[in-house]
Amino acid sequence: MPKWRTVRDHLLYAHSESLIDDEEFILLFDLYTAKSPDLPYWKYDEFDLDKLSDDECITEFRFLKGHIYILVDAMKLPEVIKCYNGLLVDRVEALCIFLKRFAYPCRYLDMMPRFGRPVPQLCMISNAVMSFLYTQWNHLLSTFDQPWLTSDNIEEFCHAVFQKSGALENCFGFVDGTVRPICKPGKNQRVLYNGHKKVHAIKFQSLAVPNGLVANLFGPVEGKRHDSAMLAQSDLYNKLQQLDPLPNENPVCIYGDPAYPHRPQLQCPFKGARITPEQQEWNKAMSSVRVSVEWIFGDIVNYFKFIDFKKTLKIQLSAVGKMYICCTLLHNARCCFYGSITSQFFELEPPSINEYFV
């Protein structure tokens, strides 16, 4: 019998014999209460998604139960996920393990009662799903050649931005860099240290569009990199030049903060201390819509909270960059199902889940 359980038995006996009072009993009993599951993994029921309610699925997996079944089909997960050691697991259970892991900071040990599997298996399954999603769907965040990102849709995005801001008629998206704090590394601390946020971090460059999706994601790069350096490394500007112009022959553009250079396909605020009142109004109008990219950053972190717990994000011990990319894909999937504050703000419908994952 475990030592902690023996101590608790003695505490119960001592309390019944009035050797300790109520307050002492409560404090000591809580001190010697096991913080891990009481039972070994084989004592728990096997996972069955059909036994869970929609509320439980939203809380633990961030998707409704019916949408999880749709998601495994849309993402083209194989019927059976095979881990590197030959372990086979059903794709629905594998995806739920992955979603549970990233929905909130938790240990694999805490997931054992839900899935009835030992910690090593939970780790292997989660990593296998993450590797599949990254390999299969990473291109959705690296190229503009997407069925949902047609010239007509880009024109619609431009119209939505202009309706809200009244400033730019040819702006279809917003670019910004996001800093993701990580655990302090043992080596290369200066390379990963971000002086602006004063944290060790990796950075990503995101291009958000008015329907709430992240259309392009570049990274990770070292935390010390400037946003303009990421722009050059990502080759994003050359990709923008290849997009079709609007019907009035104006080139489409994106909008960024003052850290970016001013180009025909990349607009930014007027800079300097002597800008005119008209220029100030223009900056204010564009700032009111550019904040939508910050909402998207917040949604990714809020719905998949694991990537916001920096103590578990250890460079060279876990695939930190791959985690954020996969969580961005899952955010886009959530947006396809439920919309987002950004899509509601611009009054645009995101594509269906099957239109996105093609």
Side-chain angles (χ1 to χ4, degrees), residues 61-63 71 75 95 98-99 102-103 133 137 140-141 148 206-217 292-305 307 322-344 350-353 356-357:
F61 310 132
R62 304 308 190 199
F63 291 90
L71 190 60
M75 288 182 166
L95 181 61
F98 177 75
L99 294 174
F102 287 92
L133 295 182
W137 302 112
L140 296 179
L141 300 174
W148 67 273
S206 299
L207 172 60
V209 291
N211 65 359
L213 299 186
V214 176
N216 187 269
L217 182 71
S292 61
V293 71
E294 303 292 345
W295 297 339
I296 293 177
F297 290 159
D299 284 344
I300 295 173
V301 173
N302 288 333
Y303 286 117
F304 303 100
K305 204 70 175 179
I307 58 175
K322 189 184 293 186
M323 291 177 183
Y324 186 81
I325 293 171
C326 289
C327 288
T328 302
L329 288 170
L330 291 174
H331 161 268
N332 284 354
R334 285 198 87 262
C335 188
C336 292
F337 281 127
Y338 315 118
S340 67
I341 186 173
T342 302
S343 62
Q344 294 173 9
S352 68
I353 193 69
Y356 181 70
F357 285 103

Side-chain angles (χ1 to χ4, degrees), residues 145-192:
D145 187 18
Q146 308 294 337
W148 67 273
L149 206 55
T150 61
S151 298
D152 291 340
N153 287 340
I154 290 178
E155 183 180 354
E156 186 178 8
F157 296 159
C158 294
H159 179 71
V161 173
F162 181 71
Q163 286 292 103
K164 284 293 181 179
S165 67
L168 273 177
E169 296 183 354
N170 60 335
C171 175
F172 78 95
F174 308 95
V175 64
D176 199 5
T178 180
V179 177
R180 297 308 324 144
I182 60 172
C183 184
K184 184 178 179 180
K187 297 181 180 179
N188 302 322
Q189 293 186 16
R190 290 189 176 182
V191 174
L192 294 171

Side-chain angles (χ1 to χ4, degrees), residues 256-312:
D257 59 29
Y260 292 98
H262 187 270
R263 299 287 187 273
Q265 279 83 15
L266 177 56
Q267 299 293 310
C268 58
F270 290 99
K271 307 172 186 178
R274 298 184 177 181
I275 60 176
T276 65
E278 291 79 9
Q279 292 172 335
Q280 290 179 357
E281 285 297 320
W282 192 91
N283 286 352
K284 182 179 179 180
M286 290 306 300
S287 177
S288 66
V289 290
R290 196 195 73 85
V291 71
S292 61
V293 71
E294 303 292 345
W295 297 339
I296 293 177
F297 290 159
D299 284 344
I300 295 173
V301 173
N302 288 333
Y303 286 117
F304 303 100
K305 204 70 175 179
F306 183 88
I307 58 175
D308 197 35
F309 189 58
K310 69 177 183 179
K311 289 185 178 181
T312 62

Side-chain angles (χ1 to χ4, degrees), residues 30 72 74 108 121 138 181 210 240 248 266 311 314 319 342 347:
D30 181 69
V72 294
Y108 288 116
Q121 288 189 12
N138 179 47
L240 292 171
N248 59 7
L266 177 56
K311 289 185 178 181
K314 301 178 180 180
T342 302
E347 299 178 359

